Short mmCIF file of all heavy atoms in Angstrom, two decimals:
data_model
loop_
_atom_site.label_atom_id
_atom_site.label_comp_id
_atom_site.label_asym_id
_atom_site.label_seq_id
_atom_site.Cartn_x
_atom_site.Cartn_y
_atom_site.Cartn_z
N VAL F 1 19.12 -26.55 26.41
CA VAL F 1 20.55 -26.92 26.20
C VAL F 1 21.08 -26.45 24.87
O VAL F 1 22.18 -25.88 24.75
CB VAL F 1 20.76 -28.41 26.44
CG1 VAL F 1 22.21 -28.79 25.95
CG2 VAL F 1 20.55 -28.83 27.82
N THR F 2 20.29 -26.63 23.74
CA THR F 2 20.68 -26.22 22.45
C THR F 2 20.90 -24.71 22.39
O THR F 2 21.85 -24.20 21.86
CB THR F 2 19.60 -26.63 21.43
OG1 THR F 2 19.38 -28.06 21.45
CG2 THR F 2 19.94 -26.20 20.02
N TYR F 3 20.01 -23.97 23.09
CA TYR F 3 20.11 -22.49 23.12
C TYR F 3 21.40 -22.13 23.89
O TYR F 3 22.10 -21.24 23.39
CB TYR F 3 18.91 -21.89 23.76
CG TYR F 3 19.01 -20.38 23.91
CD1 TYR F 3 18.77 -19.55 22.76
CD2 TYR F 3 19.32 -19.72 25.14
CE1 TYR F 3 18.88 -18.15 22.90
CE2 TYR F 3 19.40 -18.37 25.19
CZ TYR F 3 19.22 -17.61 24.08
OH TYR F 3 19.33 -16.28 24.21
N GLU F 4 21.65 -22.78 24.95
CA GLU F 4 22.84 -22.38 25.83
C GLU F 4 24.13 -22.66 25.04
O GLU F 4 25.11 -22.03 25.24
CB GLU F 4 22.81 -23.15 27.18
CG GLU F 4 21.81 -22.59 28.10
CD GLU F 4 21.92 -21.11 28.44
OE1 GLU F 4 23.17 -20.72 28.60
OE2 GLU F 4 20.94 -20.41 28.57
N GLN F 5 24.12 -23.72 24.20
CA GLN F 5 25.31 -24.01 23.43
C GLN F 5 25.48 -23.17 22.16
O GLN F 5 26.60 -23.19 21.60
CB GLN F 5 25.24 -25.56 23.06
CG GLN F 5 25.34 -26.48 24.20
CD GLN F 5 25.22 -27.93 23.82
OE1 GLN F 5 24.84 -28.28 22.72
NE2 GLN F 5 25.70 -28.82 24.70
N LYS F 6 24.51 -22.39 21.74
CA LYS F 6 24.69 -21.52 20.68
C LYS F 6 25.65 -20.35 21.01
O LYS F 6 25.64 -19.88 22.14
CB LYS F 6 23.32 -20.86 20.29
CG LYS F 6 22.43 -21.76 19.44
CD LYS F 6 21.02 -21.14 19.33
CE LYS F 6 20.96 -19.74 18.88
NZ LYS F 6 21.35 -19.60 17.46
N GLU F 7 26.53 -20.06 20.07
CA GLU F 7 27.51 -18.97 20.33
C GLU F 7 26.82 -17.64 20.47
O GLU F 7 27.15 -16.88 21.39
CB GLU F 7 28.49 -18.92 19.15
CG GLU F 7 29.60 -17.90 19.38
CD GLU F 7 30.59 -17.87 18.23
OE1 GLU F 7 30.31 -18.50 17.18
OE2 GLU F 7 31.66 -17.22 18.41
N LEU F 8 25.92 -17.36 19.56
CA LEU F 8 25.22 -16.07 19.60
C LEU F 8 23.73 -16.27 19.98
O LEU F 8 23.26 -17.42 19.92
CB LEU F 8 25.32 -15.37 18.27
CG LEU F 8 26.71 -15.12 17.70
CD1 LEU F 8 26.59 -14.40 16.42
CD2 LEU F 8 27.54 -14.24 18.65
N GLY F 9 23.05 -15.23 20.27
CA GLY F 9 21.66 -15.31 20.64
C GLY F 9 20.77 -15.35 19.33
O GLY F 9 21.29 -15.37 18.16
N ASN F 10 19.53 -15.27 19.44
CA ASN F 10 18.56 -15.21 18.32
C ASN F 10 18.08 -13.76 18.02
O ASN F 10 17.96 -12.98 18.96
CB ASN F 10 17.34 -16.02 18.63
CG ASN F 10 17.64 -17.49 18.92
OD1 ASN F 10 18.55 -18.04 18.37
ND2 ASN F 10 16.84 -18.13 19.81
N VAL F 11 18.03 -13.48 16.79
CA VAL F 11 17.61 -12.14 16.34
C VAL F 11 16.07 -12.14 16.16
O VAL F 11 15.52 -13.04 15.50
CB VAL F 11 18.27 -11.76 14.96
CG1 VAL F 11 17.74 -10.39 14.49
CG2 VAL F 11 19.74 -11.69 15.18
N SER F 12 15.45 -11.14 16.68
CA SER F 12 13.99 -11.15 16.68
C SER F 12 13.36 -11.10 15.25
O SER F 12 12.20 -11.37 15.10
CB SER F 12 13.39 -9.99 17.50
OG SER F 12 13.91 -8.73 17.01
N TYR F 13 14.19 -10.73 14.28
CA TYR F 13 13.72 -10.58 12.90
C TYR F 13 13.75 -11.88 12.15
O TYR F 13 13.43 -11.86 10.96
CB TYR F 13 14.57 -9.51 12.14
CG TYR F 13 14.33 -8.14 12.71
CD1 TYR F 13 15.32 -7.52 13.60
CD2 TYR F 13 13.18 -7.37 12.48
CE1 TYR F 13 15.10 -6.28 14.13
CE2 TYR F 13 13.01 -6.13 13.07
CZ TYR F 13 14.00 -5.55 13.84
OH TYR F 13 13.83 -4.32 14.41
N GLN F 14 14.19 -12.96 12.80
CA GLN F 14 14.17 -14.23 12.10
C GLN F 14 12.69 -14.62 11.74
O GLN F 14 11.80 -14.42 12.66
CB GLN F 14 14.75 -15.36 13.03
CG GLN F 14 16.26 -15.22 13.25
CD GLN F 14 16.82 -16.20 14.28
OE1 GLN F 14 16.83 -15.92 15.48
NE2 GLN F 14 17.07 -17.43 13.86
N TYR F 15 12.47 -15.11 10.56
CA TYR F 15 11.10 -15.36 10.24
C TYR F 15 10.64 -16.62 10.99
O TYR F 15 11.40 -17.55 11.31
CB TYR F 15 10.99 -15.62 8.71
CG TYR F 15 11.55 -16.94 8.18
CD1 TYR F 15 10.77 -18.04 8.00
CD2 TYR F 15 12.94 -17.00 7.86
CE1 TYR F 15 11.32 -19.21 7.53
CE2 TYR F 15 13.44 -18.14 7.41
CZ TYR F 15 12.70 -19.22 7.20
OH TYR F 15 13.18 -20.43 6.69
N ILE F 16 9.36 -16.68 11.24
CA ILE F 16 8.74 -17.84 12.02
C ILE F 16 8.13 -18.74 11.05
O ILE F 16 8.42 -20.03 11.12
CB ILE F 16 7.74 -17.31 13.04
CG1 ILE F 16 8.51 -16.43 14.14
CG2 ILE F 16 7.06 -18.47 13.70
CD1 ILE F 16 7.54 -15.79 15.14
N TYR F 17 7.30 -18.27 10.18
CA TYR F 17 6.77 -19.14 9.13
C TYR F 17 6.96 -18.47 7.76
O TYR F 17 6.85 -17.26 7.62
CB TYR F 17 5.22 -19.30 9.37
CG TYR F 17 4.90 -20.44 10.33
CD1 TYR F 17 4.60 -20.18 11.65
CD2 TYR F 17 4.88 -21.79 9.88
CE1 TYR F 17 4.37 -21.22 12.55
CE2 TYR F 17 4.52 -22.79 10.71
CZ TYR F 17 4.34 -22.49 12.04
OH TYR F 17 4.03 -23.50 12.87
N LYS F 18 7.35 -19.31 6.80
CA LYS F 18 7.64 -18.83 5.47
C LYS F 18 6.31 -18.49 4.65
O LYS F 18 5.37 -19.29 4.75
CB LYS F 18 8.47 -19.85 4.63
CG LYS F 18 8.93 -19.38 3.32
CD LYS F 18 9.89 -20.25 2.73
CE LYS F 18 9.15 -21.50 2.17
NZ LYS F 18 10.04 -22.35 1.32
N TYR F 19 6.29 -17.33 4.05
CA TYR F 19 5.20 -16.98 3.28
C TYR F 19 5.13 -17.90 1.96
O TYR F 19 6.23 -18.31 1.47
CB TYR F 19 5.25 -15.53 2.72
CG TYR F 19 4.85 -14.51 3.79
CD1 TYR F 19 5.73 -14.03 4.71
CD2 TYR F 19 3.52 -14.13 3.94
CE1 TYR F 19 5.38 -13.09 5.67
CE2 TYR F 19 3.13 -13.18 4.91
CZ TYR F 19 4.10 -12.72 5.76
OH TYR F 19 3.76 -11.83 6.72
N ASP F 20 3.98 -18.15 1.49
CA ASP F 20 3.85 -18.94 0.16
C ASP F 20 4.31 -18.10 -0.94
O ASP F 20 3.83 -16.94 -1.19
CB ASP F 20 2.34 -19.27 0.00
CG ASP F 20 2.16 -20.25 -1.16
OD1 ASP F 20 3.11 -20.38 -2.02
OD2 ASP F 20 1.07 -20.79 -1.32
N LYS F 21 5.33 -18.58 -1.66
CA LYS F 21 5.94 -17.79 -2.75
C LYS F 21 4.83 -17.36 -3.85
O LYS F 21 4.96 -16.35 -4.57
CB LYS F 21 7.06 -18.56 -3.44
CG LYS F 21 8.24 -18.62 -2.56
CD LYS F 21 9.47 -19.10 -3.44
CE LYS F 21 9.33 -20.54 -3.90
NZ LYS F 21 10.50 -21.02 -4.60
N ASP F 22 3.93 -18.27 -3.99
CA ASP F 22 2.77 -18.03 -4.96
C ASP F 22 1.92 -16.85 -4.61
O ASP F 22 1.17 -16.31 -5.47
CB ASP F 22 1.93 -19.30 -5.22
CG ASP F 22 2.77 -20.43 -5.79
OD1 ASP F 22 3.74 -20.16 -6.47
OD2 ASP F 22 2.38 -21.57 -5.52
N LEU F 23 2.03 -16.42 -3.32
CA LEU F 23 1.18 -15.26 -2.90
C LEU F 23 1.99 -13.95 -2.74
O LEU F 23 1.48 -12.96 -2.19
CB LEU F 23 0.55 -15.64 -1.54
CG LEU F 23 -0.50 -16.81 -1.53
CD1 LEU F 23 -0.96 -17.08 -0.07
CD2 LEU F 23 -1.61 -16.56 -2.44
N ILE F 24 3.25 -14.03 -3.22
CA ILE F 24 4.09 -12.79 -3.14
C ILE F 24 4.51 -12.36 -4.55
O ILE F 24 5.08 -13.19 -5.30
CB ILE F 24 5.35 -13.21 -2.27
CG1 ILE F 24 4.96 -13.73 -0.90
CG2 ILE F 24 6.20 -11.92 -2.08
CD1 ILE F 24 6.19 -14.23 -0.08
N ASP F 25 4.32 -11.13 -4.81
CA ASP F 25 4.72 -10.54 -6.01
C ASP F 25 5.87 -9.47 -5.62
O ASP F 25 5.58 -8.36 -5.15
CB ASP F 25 3.61 -9.80 -6.77
CG ASP F 25 2.51 -10.75 -7.10
OD1 ASP F 25 2.88 -11.88 -7.58
OD2 ASP F 25 1.32 -10.42 -7.01
N VAL F 26 7.17 -9.89 -5.88
CA VAL F 26 8.23 -9.05 -5.54
C VAL F 26 8.90 -8.38 -6.74
O VAL F 26 9.22 -9.09 -7.72
CB VAL F 26 9.33 -9.91 -4.75
CG1 VAL F 26 10.48 -8.96 -4.25
CG2 VAL F 26 8.73 -10.62 -3.58
N THR F 27 9.07 -7.05 -6.60
CA THR F 27 9.72 -6.30 -7.71
C THR F 27 10.77 -5.39 -7.11
O THR F 27 10.66 -5.03 -5.94
CB THR F 27 8.72 -5.52 -8.52
OG1 THR F 27 8.06 -4.50 -7.62
CG2 THR F 27 7.71 -6.39 -9.18
N THR F 28 11.76 -5.01 -7.89
CA THR F 28 12.74 -4.08 -7.45
C THR F 28 13.48 -3.40 -8.72
O THR F 28 13.47 -4.07 -9.74
CB THR F 28 13.88 -4.80 -6.58
OG1 THR F 28 14.69 -3.74 -6.07
CG2 THR F 28 14.65 -5.75 -7.36
N THR F 29 13.94 -2.28 -8.52
CA THR F 29 14.68 -1.63 -9.63
C THR F 29 16.14 -1.45 -9.20
O THR F 29 16.96 -0.90 -9.90
CB THR F 29 14.16 -0.13 -9.86
OG1 THR F 29 14.09 0.56 -8.65
CG2 THR F 29 12.69 -0.32 -10.39
N LYS F 30 16.49 -1.96 -8.05
CA LYS F 30 17.85 -1.88 -7.50
C LYS F 30 18.67 -3.11 -7.86
O LYS F 30 18.13 -4.19 -8.10
CB LYS F 30 17.82 -1.74 -6.04
CG LYS F 30 17.07 -0.49 -5.47
CD LYS F 30 17.74 0.80 -5.86
CE LYS F 30 17.02 2.00 -5.35
NZ LYS F 30 17.76 3.31 -5.66
N THR F 31 20.05 -2.97 -7.86
CA THR F 31 20.90 -4.05 -8.01
C THR F 31 21.66 -4.28 -6.69
O THR F 31 22.21 -3.35 -6.14
CB THR F 31 21.87 -3.76 -9.07
OG1 THR F 31 21.19 -3.49 -10.33
CG2 THR F 31 22.89 -4.92 -9.33
N TYR F 32 21.56 -5.45 -6.16
CA TYR F 32 22.17 -5.77 -4.91
C TYR F 32 23.50 -6.54 -5.07
O TYR F 32 23.58 -7.46 -5.93
CB TYR F 32 21.20 -6.56 -3.99
CG TYR F 32 19.84 -5.81 -3.82
CD1 TYR F 32 18.74 -6.22 -4.44
CD2 TYR F 32 19.78 -4.66 -3.00
CE1 TYR F 32 17.53 -5.59 -4.31
CE2 TYR F 32 18.61 -4.00 -2.89
CZ TYR F 32 17.48 -4.48 -3.50
OH TYR F 32 16.29 -3.77 -3.35
#
């Protein structure tokens, strides 16, 4: 019922489980 009441569908790229931030080293040279 919750799904049917949603306006839009689900995107397959939604994350399922969050990665532990302590195990991720993220770097970038770009400005967003």
Side-chain angles (χ1 to χ4, degrees):
V1 169
T2 301
Y3 177 77
E4 288 301 320
Q5 291 179 343
K6 279 169 55 70
E7 181 180 13
L8 304 179
N10 300 327
V11 176
S12 60
Y13 295 102
Q14 292 174 267
Y15 73 96
I16 297 177
Y17 275 95
K18 188 172 75 170
Y19 282 90
D20 187 346
K21 289 194 295 184
D22 296 333
L23 297 177
I24 305 174
D25 299 319
V26 184
T27 59
T28 186
T29 58
K30 300 292 182 180
T31 301
Y32 302 107

